[in-house]
Amino acid sequence: MLKKLSIAALVVFLAIWPIFTTNPYYVHTAVMIGIMVILAVGLNLLFGYTGQISLAHATFYAIGAYATSLLEVHAGLSFWVTTPIAIIFAVIVAIFIGIPTLKLKDHYLALATLALCLVTTLFLLNAKWLTNGAEGVMGIQAPTIFGYPLQGVALYYFVALFTLIIFIMIRNLVNSRVGIALETIRENEEAAESLGVNVLYYKVMVFAISGALAAFAGSIYAHLTLFVSPESFALPLSIEVLVIIVVGGLASMAGSVVGAVVITLLPEFLYEFEEYRLLVYGVILLLVVIFAPKGIVGLFSSFVGFIRGKLSGEKVNEPEEAAEREQV
Amino acid sequence: MELLVLKGVSKQFGGLRAVDGVSFDIKQGDIHAIIGPNGAGKTTLFNLITGVLPVSEGEITFEGKAIHHLRVHQIARLGILRTFQNLKTFNEMTVLQNVMAGRYTKTKTELGTAALGLPWGKREFAETRKKAEEVLEKVGLYHLRESLAKNLPYGRQRILEIARILMAEGKILLLDEPAAGLNHNETEELSVFLRKLIDGGLTILLVEHDMQMVMRLCDRITVINYGVKIADGTPEEVQRNKEVIEAYLGKGGTHDA
């Protein structure tokens, strides 16, 4: 009940706050948060739930941003046509790359996807005939809907709506037969397979889904900034998304959102440290891994559990303690 | 009726023949044990049946159909489920989720249905949950359903693995040393429990070192040594077999199992 009320309150807040602001920078930041939530939800599905690390998230983000921009600038196609094309292209790339690489595990998978991420940056910088190199792609137009341009607050509502839809769909997915199967893959592939789960199929599908979401986010990004250049799609972006889900909470839907909000807003508070952004991420990551391995959401739920325990006088985490008692 | 038939099954690891021309069959409704000294090739045999390892030579048929070319998850879908000698519970998942995972082959919800949150997917998931609670009740783990699997004591994790494959309502269960790490009482309970499963129409193939349990519980026993089958029969027949006594129990000695 309390949970439903607070979710309702949050939705209402997200729907009406732009009315009370005139500062376009806030709206821009809110759209950025939406983009990061979409990226994080996809990576959390892949890494948090299914246990497959990827440092190639920036690659799919780049595919979304560049494919839509280039098709628009050179072929004159609209956002509504280029975005599905970019998503399909990302899915195809994910499947082709996923089949060989997802047979790798842990560090090897991290290295393979890291390589993909670095190759992407080199490609964007050097394939000047296509990407215009370091100068980037200009001349992207804001998409229009019924003749009305999707920018500023309108773009915010568009992104908020799609972020919500994506969030609900992925939440449905993880709370289903498929979600359980994905977690068994993370926990023990051999056992998962022995229960009938086609492990490689699900790994490739989830890689494709997270790639598709990243491409969608990339398309939105391109139409927010109306300019794309290689540095926005380099390794730091992959790492940033990874930091978001670890800080927020792995295998937690709320974690993706909380992490995206915190990590996106952080530079606003620490902008003197802009140069050291990755260093700050490193320190945060280290602290979270050591002191709050389940992320902010994990900390919060243990805190709530603790308070509830105090209030009711009952023990916290009762079943686990029961198990420990039996062990003795 | 023969449910599972092995014909001249061999497995070669480089120069080592871990399983060498083993043939036997498992009858519907039996509790069938594979015994043999350590390193005799029992677990390898399990891995061959379940498709974890490819068969080098020979043929394995299940309900009359060859299965030795199928992949692990395809074999599971036929109703052949297994537990592992070194437990493979899903540690960071709850006991309830562990058991729910076992329902995979009996349920259908796929990616699209799940993501859209369609009602039949949700209904199926709710049924799986209910079923899992029933199974947990039956094996006495219901009160621990919200614990993470890794927090369970060893013996309970073994039970959890069995509960997990019960959810699949398969045709044959392959249990790799189910009594390992259990104390006397727990072993006793396990035997009773396995008997009940057989009465419910299941067939069980198990690898076990607890001779008392094997002799009392099993309908048939296959003995292998150095990858070769040396005897096959009822517990009485196997106990009388000279080769078994020599190779497995030791010449003229009593075993210490």
Side-chain angles (χ1 to χ4, degrees):
Chain A
M1 189 61 200
L2 193 65
K3 199 175 170 187
K4 277 192 179 160
L5 268 179
S6 40
I7 289 172
L10 184 65
V11 170
V12 170
F13 170 74
L14 290 175
I16 60 168
W17 75 267
I19 297 167
F20 301 103
T21 181
T22 47
N23 189 338
Y25 185 69
Y26 291 161
V27 178
H28 177 98
T29 306
V31 173
M32 258 339 273
I33 290 176
I35 289 171
M36 293 323 263
V37 169
I38 296 173
L39 287 172
V41 163
L43 190 65
N44 215 340
L45 181 70
L46 181 67
F47 183 44
Y49 288 92
T50 319
Q52 310 303 308
I53 194 164
S54 171
L55 289 166
H57 225 53
T59 300
F60 296 101
Y61 191 49
I63 287 174
Y66 271 87
T68 54
S69 307
L70 293 171
L71 283 170
E72 184 181 320
V73 172
H74 296 301
L77 299 172
S78 86
F79 171 83
W80 308 104
V81 177
T82 59
T83 304
I85 292 175
I87 290 172
I88 292 167
F89 183 54
V91 167
I92 293 169
V93 171
I95 290 173
F96 269 91
I97 288 172
I99 290 173
T101 51
L102 290 166
K103 289 180 178 168
L104 303 171
K105 280 181 191 169
D106 307 331
H107 306 324
Y108 300 102
L109 182 59
L111 283 175
T113 51
L114 171 65
L116 179 60
C117 189
L118 297 176
V119 167
T120 306
T121 302
L122 288 176
F123 178 83
L124 295 178
L125 282 172
N126 293 304
K128 290 203 173 95
W129 56 274
L130 183 68
T131 65
N132 203 23
E135 287 161 39
V137 181
M138 279 170 286
I140 306 164
Q141 301 292 319
T144 52
I145 184 163
F146 308 122
Y148 186 77
L150 268 189
Q151 55 191 7
V153 176
L155 182 64
Y156 164 80
Y157 282 121
F158 174 78
V159 172
L161 178 68
F162 272 88
T163 306
L164 188 68
I165 292 172
I166 288 167
F167 180 88
I168 291 172
M169 286 178 74
I170 302 298
R171 195 204 55 180
N172 285 341
L173 187 65
V174 299
N175 293 321
S176 75
R177 165 189 190 248
V178 177
I180 295 231
L182 297 181
E183 291 200 67
T184 67
I185 294 172
R186 177 192 69 210
E187 291 299 310
N188 193 316
E189 287 186 18
E190 215 179 308
E193 193 94 26
S194 83
L195 296 175
V197 178
N198 189 342
V199 171
L200 186 61
Y201 165 79
Y202 274 129
K203 282 190 194 174
V204 172
M205 290 310 283
V206 169
F207 195 54
I209 292 170
S210 84
L213 293 178
F216 180 59
S219 169
I220 296 171
Y221 177 78
H223 292 85
L224 170 71
T225 57
L226 305 179
F227 166 73
V228 291
S229 67
E231 71 264 26
S232 313
F233 308 95
L235 185 61
L237 190 271
S238 286
I239 293 177
E240 186 172 337
V241 184
L242 204 57
V243 171
I244 284 175
I245 61 171
V246 172
V247 167
L250 288 173
S252 157
M253 290 305 295
S256 302
V257 179
V258 172
V261 172
V262 170
I263 299 297
T264 311
L265 292 181
L266 199 65
E268 312 297 326
F269 296 107
L270 300 171
Y271 79 30
E272 289 135 73
F273 297 102
E274 186 59 36
E275 298 286 307
Y276 306 101
R277 201 164 65 143
L278 279 184
L279 184 68
V280 173
Y281 286 164
V283 172
I284 293 174
L285 199 56
L286 209 60
L287 291 175
V288 168
V289 168
I290 295 171
F291 296 108
K294 290 189 176 165
I296 295 174
V297 170
L299 265 187
F300 181 74
S301 40
S302 356
F303 179 71
V304 169
F306 176 77
I307 296 293
R308 279 206 186 132
K310 284 273 171 197
L311 288 180
S312 64
E314 275 172 23
K315 291 215 165 160
V316 194
N317 291 334
E318 203 261 325
E320 279 181 30
E321 288 200 359
E324 275 158 29
R325 273 199 304 277
E326 286 190 25
Q327 209 155 12
V328 180
Chain B
M1 198 191 81
E2 284 81 28
L3 189 63
L4 185 70
V5 180
L6 282 76
K7 265 188 225 150
V9 172
S10 298
K11 179 68 197 175
Q12 189 96 24
F13 289 118
L16 174 76
R17 231 170 154 71
V19 173
D20 191 359
V22 170
S23 301
F24 65 92
D25 45 59
I26 295 143
K27 291 189 177 52
Q28 172 83 51
D30 271 4
I31 297 189
H32 191 125
I34 304 175
I35 62 170
N38 279 329
K42 299 173 303 257
T43 297
T44 306
L45 215 47
F46 263 33
N47 286 336
L48 293 173
I49 296 171
T50 52
V52 174
L53 295 171
V55 173
S56 307
E57 279 164 43
E59 193 181 63
I60 302 172
T61 56
F62 181 70
E63 296 185 311
K65 272 175 288 187
I67 59 164
H68 52 268
H69 57 277
L70 296 179
R71 289 171 58 198
V72 177
H73 64 93
Q74 293 169 321
I75 291 176
R77 274 169 210 186
L78 297 175
I80 303 177
L81 284 307
R82 71 173 299 182
T83 64
F84 297 87
Q85 186 182 350
N86 312 311
L87 289 170
K88 294 191 196 298
T89 44
F90 304 125
N91 282 333
E92 297 290 338
M93 293 165 74
T94 65
V95 166
L96 184 67
Q97 286 176 322
N98 265 265
V99 178
M100 286 173 76
R103 194 70 181 161
Y104 188 81
T105 53
K106 285 281 167 185
T107 44
K108 290 195 178 66
T109 311
E110 257 305 330
L111 287 161
T113 315
L116 294 176
L118 297 178
W120 55 88
K122 286 185 174 171
R123 200 179 319 130
E124 189 181 70
F125 193 62
E127 282 163 9
T128 300
R129 190 192 172 93
K130 194 157 161 277
K131 179 100 192 149
E133 285 171 350
E134 283 166 21
V135 167
L136 284 173
E137 198 111 39
K138 216 179 343 177
V139 300
L141 293 178
Y142 183 76
H143 62 297
L144 298 171
R145 65 194 179 283
E146 293 302 328
S147 310
L148 293 182
K150 65 174 181 186
N151 292 333
L152 256 55
Y154 189 77
R156 302 245 159 173
Q157 291 194 14
R158 286 222 167 269
I159 308 278
L160 179 61
E161 259 203 0
I162 297 176
R164 185 167 80 186
I165 58 174
L166 288 181
M167 286 291 285
E169 291 174 340
K171 293 170 179 149
I172 181 166
L173 306 186
L174 278 60
L175 309 180
D176 202 344
E177 300 197 23
L182 301 191
N183 65 32
H184 186 74
N185 286 341
E186 287 171 326
T187 308
E188 202 57 31
E189 277 173 38
L190 180 70
S191 300
V192 173
F193 183 64
L194 294 182
R195 259 292 151 217
K196 266 194 217 157
L197 291 180
I198 296 299
D199 295 339
L202 271 168
T203 305
I204 292 175
L205 175 66
L206 56 88
V207 164
E208 190 47 72
H209 278 300
D210 188 325
M211 279 307 122
Q212 246 189 336
M213 174 178 164
V214 168
M215 292 301 166
R216 286 216 337 254
L217 182 69
C218 296
D219 303 298
R220 293 186 75 79
I221 295 172
T222 298
V223 190
I224 56 173
N225 194 18
Y226 297 112
V228 181
K229 183 177 92 171
I230 58 173
D232 200 349
T234 63
E236 295 73 33
E237 285 166 4
V238 167
Q239 271 170 316
R240 282 198 304 269
N241 187 305
K242 270 209 185 81
E243 226 180 317
V244 174
I245 297 167
E246 270 177 33
Y248 188 75
L249 304 175
K251 276 186 189 173
T254 51
H255 68 87
D256 54 3

